[in-house]
Amino acid sequence: SANELIHEVKLVVDRKLEEKNIDSTIDVPKDLMVLGDYNRIYQLVLNLYSNSIQYTPEDGHINWRCFLEDGYAKLQIKDTGIGISKQEQDRIFERFYRVNRDRSRQTGGTGLGLSIVKHIVEAHEGIIDIESEVGVGTTITVSIPQPH
Ligand code: ATP
Ligand code: MG
């Protein structure tokens, strides 16, 4: 189930959440099943979760939602992080692209996370959507078509 998968990933990132005192809630119905490749969706959730933690200042919030809508399972992560400007939203899915390279060099990472996420979404014939405002936060919604 989506609920169990997200809770499992949360265990993996728990120490980082604690270090930054980030409050992370999961609003996913217990019985909601998403049809997809478990290992790949696990990796997708881990990448998106890690980004939200990395780009959210201390004492922030991260919320997961998952719901069925219009024949899609929608996985949504919302953070109160630094946000992504409109110009950058078009580029962050490129391999090795990172916003602000100097800052990024200090925070580690390769800039591959979101290109992997995009690849996984496409392998499921899904859609990924970003809503973000600089200094306010980011919401990323992954929609995976479900058979009816
Ligand atoms: P890696 O994931 O390989 O460790 P990375 O996090 O820099 O490195 P991506 O996950 O591909 O690479 O993200 C690309 C860029 O998008 C990041 O460098 C960051 O600037 C921006 N970004 C991604 N997620 C968020 C977010 N939730 N809030 C703000 N900026 C983000
Ligand atoms: Mg990343």
Side-chain angles (χ1 to χ4, degrees):
S1 73
N3 187 293
E4 282 170 340
L5 188 152
I6 295 169
H7 274 95
E8 273 190 37
V9 178
K10 189 181 178 188
L11 291 177
V12 175
V13 297
D14 212 38
R15 211 172 53 86
K16 286 193 225 162
L17 289 168
E18 268 177 29
E19 273 171 14
K20 297 182 83 171
N21 193 36
I22 292 172
D23 172 48
S24 177
T25 50
I26 300 173
D27 295 323
V28 181
K30 282 240 159 26
D31 57 353
L32 184 72
M33 303 296 285
V34 176
L35 202 85
D37 179 324
Y38 185 94
N39 291 318
R40 286 180 150 193
I41 293 182
Y42 182 99
Q43 199 181 11
L44 175 148
V45 168
L46 180 60
N47 272 308
L48 293 179
Y49 217 158
S50 302
N51 279 348
S52 283
I53 296 169
Q54 189 163 356
Y55 304 109
T56 295
E58 295 208 349
D59 306 322
H61 297 267
I62 299 174
N63 175 253
W64 278 102
R65 295 209 303 143
C66 184
F67 49 94
L68 298 174
E69 193 177 78
D70 306 327
Y72 288 90
K74 300 199 173 181
L75 269 166
Q76 190 169 73
I77 181 167
K78 178 176 182 170
D79 66 50
T80 57
I82 59 175
I84 309 164
S85 72
K86 278 272 174 291
Q87 302 104 283
E88 285 155 349
Q89 285 174 32
D90 297 333
R91 299 206 56 199
I92 53 174
F93 292 104
E94 294 170 19
R95 287 164 71 200
F96 307 117
Y97 184 78
R98 311 189 70 196
V99 177
N100 187 345
R101 288 179 175 278
D102 287 337
R103 184 202 69 208
S104 299
R105 215 171 285 132
Q106 295 163 14
T107 56
T110 55
L112 281 174
L114 284 177
S115 68
I116 293 167
V117 166
K118 191 181 176 201
H119 184 81
I120 294 168
V121 172
E122 284 171 354
H124 286 84
E125 296 179 337
I127 303 162
I128 186 160
D129 178 59
I130 302 185
E131 262 179 72
S132 188
E133 198 177 326
V134 173
V136 178
T138 302
T139 301
I140 296 186
T141 307
V142 169
S143 304
I144 300 171
Q146 300 292 293
H148 33 221

